[in-house]
Amino acid sequence: MRKIIAGMTMSLDGFINDRNGSAESLSPDFPELLDTPFFKDQVQNTGAVIMGKSVYEMADPFMWVNDDYEFQVPIFVLTHTPPAKYPKGNDKLSLTFVTDGIESAISQAKKAAGDKDALIIGGADTIQQCLNSGLCDELQIDLMPVLLGKGLRLFENIDTDKIKLERISVEEVTPIRTTITFKVTKT
């Protein structure tokens, strides 16, 4: 296992979805993003994915958990209540519902990732827990040139006294998407 990387797309004013809970305005370049060297490298270097139940349910899991999903790796879904029915995945992509906390999800993802990265792709609560517990090595923020005004903020519940960020890189991934990567250290 190399690193635990938390990543999220957000508006310039710090929101990861709008007042209606939609993140649609933050991904108008998604088809273009999938074809970028940056994203292709990230997929290649990812050995496991961690996500919260809200991200898992953002689209119908029976539609996206298939051979076409970008990350064909074990996926660990952090939740209090696993669903009664869920897609079975395939020989590469599997779903594990983790009910005993972020530390357990990270531990399981590290083991599954082997010598690759484990990527946390949201939601806000999952990333907040990871940062606050000191389990995140890097934070990757994709900034989009949009102001949402209201919605859910990624950094609302962060213990800022315990976290220090050091900028590693800034990259224009698509003409409208800027990715800033930070090393995360505990103070």
Side-chain angles (χ1 to χ4, degrees):
M1 199 282 308
R2 295 185 330 189
K3 297 176 279 191
I4 301 294
I5 302 170
M8 200 73 175
T9 301
M10 69 183 203
S11 66
L12 284 175
D13 53 350
F15 295 100
I16 61 167
N17 62 30
D18 64 20
R19 63 189 63 147
N20 299 316
S22 173
E24 187 175 331
S25 62
L26 296 175
S27 58
D29 64 339
F30 192 70
E32 184 179 2
L33 173 66
L34 297 177
D35 287 331
T36 64
F38 181 88
F39 189 79
K40 288 178 180 181
D41 285 346
Q42 188 165 54
V43 169
Q44 182 69 30
N45 294 326
T46 298
V49 167
I50 301 162
M51 65 178 64
K53 190 173 181 188
S54 295
V55 172
Y56 165 77
E57 293 175 338
M58 190 177 287
D60 180 354
F62 287 92
M63 297 298 292
W64 68 261
V65 177
N66 59 41
D67 294 338
D68 295 328
Y69 185 60
E70 298 83 19
F71 295 100
Q72 292 292 306
V73 297
I75 298 175
F76 298 87
V77 181
L78 190 62
T79 181
H80 294 290
T81 309
K85 293 173 66 176
Y86 58 90
K88 297 300 177 202
N90 57 39
D91 62 332
K92 295 178 189 172
L93 188 158
S94 60
L95 292 171
T96 302
F97 294 89
V98 181
T99 59
D100 54 346
I102 189 70
E103 291 85 0
S104 177
I106 296 288
S107 175
Q108 292 178 61
K110 281 182 174 182
K111 185 175 181 180
D115 62 351
K116 293 188 173 190
D117 297 330
L119 183 63
I120 303 170
I121 59 173
D125 186 55
T126 301
I127 291 176
Q128 291 165 3
Q129 288 179 56
C130 188
L131 287 169
N132 286 333
S133 63
L135 297 172
C136 185
D137 299 308
E138 288 184 9
L139 177 63
Q140 190 177 79
I141 301 297
D142 287 4
L143 286 176
M144 297 301 284
V146 63
L147 300 171
L148 297 178
K150 290 185 179 178
L152 180 61
R153 290 188 183 274
L154 178 57
F155 300 117
E156 195 70 35
N157 300 304
I158 299 295
D159 187 350
T160 57
D161 293 334
K162 294 183 179 179
I163 299 167
K164 181 180 176 188
L165 302 175
E166 175 186 325
R167 189 184 70 216
I168 297 172
S169 66
V170 177
E171 187 170 344
E172 185 178 296
V173 178
T174 72
I176 61 171
R177 181 181 298 265
T178 303
T179 300
I180 306 172
T181 304
F182 300 92
K183 179 180 177 185
V184 180
T185 57
K186 293 184 267 185
T187 60

